Amino acid sequence: MFGFGKDDTHSLTMNQPHPDSLLDTGVQGVISKPLDRVDGPKKVTGTATYAAEYAIENIAHGVLVSATKGHAKIKAIDADAVKAIPGVIDVITDYKTFIRNSQQGGETEAPTQGVRTIDYFGEIIAIVVAESFEVARDAAKRLKVEYEELDDGAFDYEANKDKAEPAPDGLIKGHYDQGDFDKAFENAAVRLDVTYTTPSQNSAAMEPHASIAVWEDGALTLYGAYQMPSSDAQQLAKALGVSQSKVRIISRYIGGGFGSKLGIAPESVAAAIAAKRLGRPVKAVMLRQQVFDATVRRSNTEQRMRLGAEAGGRIVALGHEAITSNLPDEDFFEPVGIGTHFLYAGENRRINHDVVRLNWTLSGSMRAPGEAVGMVGMECAMDELAEAIGIDPIDLRKINDPEQDPELKVPYSSRNLTRSLEEGAKRFGWDQRKAAGQRREGDWLIGMGVAAACRSNQLQQSAAKVELHPDGSATVSSAMTDIGTGSYTIMAQIAAEILGLPVEKVSMSLGDTNDPPAAGSGGSWGAASAGSAVYLAAERVREKLAKAMGVKPADLTLKDGMAIGDNRSVPLAELVGKDSLSAIGEIKPGQQEKQFQQASYGAHFAEVGVNVVTGEVRVRRMLGVFAAGRVLNAKTARSQCLGGMTFGIGTALTEELIHDPRTGKLVNHDLAEYHVPVNADVPQLEVHFLDERDIHANPIHAKGIGELGISGAAPAVVNAIYNATGVRVREMPVRLDKLLDHLPAL
């Protein structure tokens, strides 16, 4: 992945803390400020080019064909009939090379290939190519496929969950035990044993998956909607059987991903095969229904929560046992208990994951895999435990806020959970909360809920190049991507702060694998990883400026395009000379990740109203307090948390993929029937950040924030519903039909 050459590369492995940061001493004053997005004008004027929008000459249009059986073998495809349709160029059915489903994020091997045997309803089995999209779409609908149905399909979760098997070790251990959980739970003064469930979910990104494939001189350029181009290019090369040096991915702008675009999807390989066969560029854009059917879903979960505590609230037994689902032969499992491992104290622990093998759409990473749904079980159970003990749910969390990781026995790099809870309680007016079912305004029952937020922090190997040009402007280039999170802006801010430039003097080039490779956007590691690479490259350029100035780097001040040192002030352009000054920065994870537990923390507060006549739930207000290291841009960071909190409202109230138990088919596979929260569902949201630096995380002291906002958001809403009504609903989403029969009589 990192074969860009080592000339003038400033590389740092995080084996030691990095207490001194140029972002603390810079005088340009742009870092952390709520600056507008540098890519914003292009997006609002329609000049930001997304994957399907590149103007490629002589392009042909491909439409994918989906299987209409849940588990079957393809006997025959009648391609000749649709080839006769005017405008149709070809029908391509590459049984061996087409990929079964999307690849998981970060993988560098080829995806699962071969589609003669259908493993789930909607699997992509062919591509029809025509001179226009309309003709290709019509022909794809007319294509007749003969199947031989197989009798060993598993389509019903309830009917198959007794066949669940232990999950293989992945992001976390599949099964984990510490101490004597059974004995501690049995002897606990207060015991809670409840089960929470969450349904399958879809990322529902605004932009569908799309690829334009162009071959030239045996090399492929793919314009794609992909979050991690550097590893995606490796996946694509291996799927096609070509050298990685022959594959370039360009992904400048992405209309949302939320994990669904981490790995390559079926349209990329299909477009590449078709383009090579036809000798002309081919565009393939998934239909909205195909995005739902044939990319990735978040797995449904069944979570048994067993908490045992002393009478005063100290947890002595913590059990979180989850059942999830995925296709046969897939190692990924939804890491439901990932946050449970480090969030609360408790010396006796059991955190297990089992997997049911179903012929359903692939289960993969979706925003905050693990915490987003796992904290529904954990944080709702904490609310129940607090009530059983008779203490405030915030106090219960504070009592069990550990001083070190309860399993690894290492310190936290930084941890502000209690501070987040206390600050949120004060801002939200938590002291006005009443007992469950005690507050009513007309036909509305009103309640408040709270939940902790946590999200593990990761650093991934990434690189970036910074060039300072003779005119005093700079360019930052990296294969890092921006999926709407603000990467363009925060990386420009980092470079501008260190080089002493106005942000408008920094140009950005992102999302091209011809630039230094980066881990991309995923896992909330993008800003810290690629941002640190930009920091290191800019630091090296700064050292070159100091040398040209004849001063030590520590004695150099850069501001407004001027270098100041040794009682002189010199324009940067004069120091640069005729040729650009450039450097590559490279960050690598190191021992700090093993010596410290790294995570971001926060607290969610929600107030809801539940109508006693209709059972309708309305979120009236919501507040989040977060601590995630240095905030690089107050505006884009706030937007990330707003989006996460909105996601949480969806998990709590509306989002549910429904699988037909006879065929596995998704029956609500579009935005009309899969109910994401809309404007009327979302109140004014408040976001507050605590001042924090994490010197163990990276040289810019920032931690992941993109997924922190969703983690814990849903259970805050669910807990508020209980406080309003006195009704516990443990099956997500909490629709009115699950409340109505239990509400007070009219």
Side-chain angles (χ1 to χ4, degrees), residues 473-696:
S473 67
T475 299
V476 176
S477 55
S478 173
M480 175 60 182
T481 53
D482 190 326
I483 56 174
T485 49
S487 301
Y488 277 103
T489 309
I490 61 171
M491 285 198 257
Q493 286 177 266
I494 293 169
E497 188 66 59
I498 296 173
L499 297 178
L501 292 173
V503 170
E504 55 268 23
K505 295 282 283 184
V506 179
S507 300
M508 298 297 304
S509 174
L510 297 182
D512 186 342
T513 56
N514 276 3
D515 288 330
S521 297
S524 294
W525 61 59
S529 302
S532 292
V534 173
Y535 173 95
L536 295 170
E539 183 179 39
R540 179 56 54 84
V541 171
R542 188 178 185 277
E543 292 170 359
K544 293 182 178 184
L545 289 170
K547 183 177 181 180
M549 187 81 168
V551 299
K552 295 179 180 179
D555 297 329
L556 179 68
T557 298
L558 301 178
K559 182 174 173 58
D560 295 332
M562 302 295 291
I564 305 165
D566 193 28
N567 294 318
R568 292 180 293 136
S569 180
V570 180
L572 293 184
E574 185 176 318
L575 294 177
V576 172
K578 295 181 179 179
D579 298 319
S580 296
L581 295 181
S582 66
I584 291 173
E586 180 187 17
I587 191 73
K588 300 177 183 178
Q591 292 300 311
Q592 291 291 284
E593 288 193 354
K594 298 177 182 178
Q595 295 169 358
F596 294 87
Q597 170 60 258
Q598 296 186 19
S600 302
Y601 296 92
H604 291 280
F605 293 80
E607 181 181 277
V608 305
V610 180
N611 191 288
V612 293
V613 179
T614 66
E616 174 190 6
V617 177
R618 283 286 178 193
V619 180
R620 291 161 50 113
R621 59 191 182 103
M622 204 167 175
L623 179 147
V625 177
F626 306 103
R630 186 194 306 274
V631 173
L632 299 170
N633 181 306
K635 182 177 291 187
T636 60
R638 176 177 178 271
S639 293
Q640 284 297 287
C641 292
L642 293 176
M645 293 163 76
T646 301
F647 249 75
I649 292 172
T651 295
L653 301 181
T654 65
E655 295 191 43
E656 179 179 18
L657 280 178
I658 300 172
H659 304 265
D660 187 326
R662 300 165 298 179
T663 63
K665 177 183 179 180
L666 294 177
V667 300
N668 59 334
H669 57 176
D670 55 38
L671 294 177
E673 300 297 333
Y674 180 77
H675 296 153
V676 298
V678 296
N679 189 62
D681 300 313
V682 183
Q684 190 69 26
L685 307 177
E686 276 190 65
V687 172
H688 301 278
F689 295 107
L690 299 181
D691 186 52
E692 182 183 75
R693 302 286 185 271
D694 193 329
I695 65 173
H696 304 286

Side-chain angles (χ1 to χ4, degrees), residues 176 181 302-307 318-322 336-341 349-353 370 373-379:
Y176 180 84
F181 172 80
E302 183 173 326
Q303 305 174 45
R304 184 184 184 189
M305 304 300 310
R306 286 188 286 174
L307 301 180
L318 190 158
H320 195 168
E321 298 166 276
V336 175
I338 192 169
T340 308
H341 280 287
R349 310 166 74 83
R350 176 170 295 160
I351 305 170
N352 291 347
H353 299 78
V373 287
M375 292 187 72
V376 172
M378 185 71 248
E379 290 301 290

